[in-house]
Every structure is written in C-alpha cells, then in structure tokens.
Amino acid sequence: MSDAVQKELEVDIMHNLKTVLSRIELAVSRRSKDLPNIAPKLIAVSKIKPVPMIIEAYKAGQRHFGENYVNELSEKANDPQILDQCKEIKWHFIGHLQTNKINKLLQSPNLYIVETVDSEKLADNVNKQWEKFRNSDSRLNVMVQVNTSAEEAKNGCDPSETTTIVKHVLEKCQNLNFKGLMTIGQYDYDVSKGPNPDFILLAKCRNEICTKLNLDINTVELSMGMSTDYEHAIELGATTVRVGSTIFGARPPKNAQINNS
Ligand SMILES: *Cc1c(COP(=O)(O)O)cnc(C)c1O
C-alpha cells in the first residue's frame, strides 16, 4: 500500500461523518422558519479519494456520493468492490459535463443525479441519451446549475436564464426529472460580511421559478454549501450539501492534481 493511501486510511471517516451529520441537524434548527422545511441530504464528495474510503463511508451509513470528473465517477461506479459492497450507493455528478462525456456518465451504474445541467442544449443531449441507457422507463434526476457569482471561470447558467432552462427541462425533456438548483459560488467567502450572496441568490432563483412556473417550493431542492460553509448554507435554505475534505481529509492542492476530466 502506498504511503498516501495508508495515510488517507488513518482519517476517521465514521467520526467525521457523525460530526457533519450532527452539525447539519443543528444548522436545520437555526434555519429561518420561512424557508421550506426540507431535510438536508449530505453528499460525501469523494473526488481524488480511493475506493476503500468510499466503502468505509458506505459502511458507516452514507449513501450519497459526489464526483466532479466523469472518468473518475465511471471508474468508481464500475469498481467490482463498490458494486458488490455498496449496492445502494447513489452517485451525484457535480462537475462540468462535456458533450462527449455524456454517454460515459449515463452508463455509470447507480447514477442518481446530474447536478450540473446549465443549458437547454445540454438538457436536450442528456434527455436524448438517457433513453438508451436507462432501465425501464425511469427518469434521470437533474438539477440546473446557476452561476451565482458571475465568475467567468465558473460553469452554470446566468441567474436570469434559470426560469427558461427549468421550463425547458419540465416541458421538453420527458426523460428528465427536475429536482432543483445547484451553485458552487465563490470560494472563501467571509461570513463576517453577512449572509453569503451566492446562497441568497440561489434561493431567490428558486422563488422565481416557483412563482413563474407554478411549482411547489417544498419540492424544489437547493444544492449549495461545501466543507467550509455547509452549516451557513443550510441556514439559508440548502437541502443538499456537498462535503468532501471534512469527511475524507484534505486533498492535494489543485495544481498538484492530475486533470483527468
Ligand atoms: C470538491 C467539491 C465539493 C466539496 O469540496 P470540499 O471543500 O472538499 O468540501 C463540493 N462541490 C463541488 C462541485 C466540488 O467540486
């Protein structure tokens, strides 16, 4: 076993999961009562982390896992040990989806949701391809990703386009099941400046689509918040939080990671 893998296995995943789950509960109790009372879902973001750590988290009760590269999700989802020991695993794709990777992603066993649909074109492509890969007539869950921080490098639709794209998914993509909105937002936002504007904006986009498209707000999820700010995100309405390093330990700095998208 390599030193890196050995070191990673020293991370106490069960303890970390328990801590995060209890903090989620506390954050829910602080959530404004005007917000829909949807119990938050924890996504364990396992990118760069090895299969044994995923299995350990699964054995500790975790079911939802997130990956942001298609190749890595596909490899892990097809791993014989995962297929054998993690039968109820639910994979969330949370990275940028290139057209030429759609088929590979949709063939991944136990794919639960694609959180990063950000254009009508991508929605149409995924909708069309899902027909080939689904079992029976199941619909594929999707979220629409919104670029709430107006950063050019970030993916996601412009907030002003949200209603149009969601309407398109609802009316034109019969193989897709619209679940909610997702944002990444700016990193390292300083909460002492007040509520995170990205989270406020995503909640506002939800209000808007619910009003304009006549949707029940209690059924529309908000995926926002990561290791540094998931509690804050829940207070502002997150129903899905994506937590990686707090559960699995720190990742190597970005420029040291292999780009395997
Ligand atoms: C990596 C990643 C996360 C988790 O980040 P942590 O800071 O490790 O919790 C959440 N969402 C997305 C889209 C990511 O790529």
Side-chain angles (χ1 to χ4, degrees):
M1 196 181 284
S2 76
D3 285 356
V5 172
Q6 182 62 52
K7 191 152 187 293
E8 286 187 323
L9 289 174
E10 285 166 17
V11 175
D12 191 342
I13 293 176
M14 190 188 288
H15 172 264
N16 293 347
L17 273 172
K18 271 195 192 150
T19 308
V20 171
L21 288 169
S22 63
R23 290 184 164 204
I24 287 176
E25 283 308 306
L26 286 172
V28 169
S29 67
R30 294 192 300 266
R31 182 152 74 183
S32 159
K33 300 294 169 249
D34 319 334
L35 288 162
N37 187 22
I38 303 174
K41 204 181 275 147
L42 171 62
I43 315 307
V45 178
S46 48
K47 63 188 181 201
I48 326 267
K49 301 296 178 180
V51 164
M53 296 184 90
I54 295 172
I55 295 176
E56 195 180 332
Y58 185 92
K59 285 188 173 151
Q62 181 63 28
R63 291 294 176 268
H64 292 266
F65 290 81
E67 289 284 342
N68 67 338
Y69 290 118
V70 171
N71 289 352
E72 192 175 346
L73 188 152
S74 166
E75 234 169 75
K76 287 172 172 170
N78 282 291
D79 182 277
Q81 279 186 296
I82 292 202
L83 287 171
D84 183 48
Q85 297 181 49
C86 309
K87 294 203 163 39
E88 290 169 27
I89 198 164
K90 294 177 172 67
W91 291 107
H92 291 234
F93 183 69
I94 58 174
H96 177 55
L97 182 52
Q98 292 165 289
T99 310
N100 62 349
K101 298 276 180 171
I102 293 176
N103 286 3
K104 185 165 197 177
L105 177 65
L106 299 191
Q107 287 174 77
S108 305
N110 302 310
L111 177 68
Y112 173 75
I113 190 168
V114 176
E115 293 200 9
T116 49
V117 170
D118 61 0
S119 68
E120 292 179 34
K121 192 167 156 236
L122 182 59
D124 285 339
N125 274 324
V126 173
N127 181 59
K128 186 149 175 272
Q129 298 306 317
W130 184 241
E131 232 160 50
K132 284 197 239 161
F133 302 117
R134 65 183 172 185
N135 307 317
S136 68
D137 59 358
S138 67
R139 287 166 167 232
L140 177 66
N141 294 322
V142 296
M143 286 190 184
V144 169
Q145 182 182 3
V146 185
N147 182 353
T148 51
S149 48
E151 289 166 86
E152 294 220 353
K154 292 257 163 63
N155 298 302
C157 68
D158 190 86
S160 65
E161 300 171 322
T162 314
T163 306
T164 313
I165 298 174
V166 172
K167 185 170 194 277
H168 182 82
V169 170
L170 291 169
E171 292 176 359
K172 300 275 160 54
C173 301
Q174 53 181 343
N175 303 319
L176 305 182
N177 180 37
F178 173 71
K179 287 286 266 191
L181 305 177
M182 179 268 206
T183 188
I184 295 179
Q186 56 177 299
Y187 295 110
D188 298 327
Y189 172 75
D190 177 4
V191 187
S192 69
K193 291 185 190 155
N196 186 324
D198 287 304
F199 300 161
I200 302 270
L201 181 51
L202 198 69
K204 227 177 108 188
C205 290
R206 177 173 65 178
N207 290 343
E208 189 180 307
I209 62 168
C210 289
T211 308
K212 290 194 174 157
L213 304 175
N214 199 17
L215 303 174
D216 175 0
I217 196 165
N218 296 297
T219 65
V220 180
E221 299 211 28
L222 294 180
S223 174
M224 56 192 198
M226 321 202 296
S227 285
T228 51
D229 54 12
Y230 65 93
E231 295 159 275
H232 181 60
I234 287 170
E235 288 171 27
L236 297 179
T239 70
T240 294
V241 289
R242 311 178 307 265
V243 180
S245 41
T246 298
I247 297 169
F248 295 112
R251 290 181 300 274
K254 247 210 166 121
N255 53 13
Q257 292 171 16
I258 308 153
N259 187 339
N260 60 350
S261 71

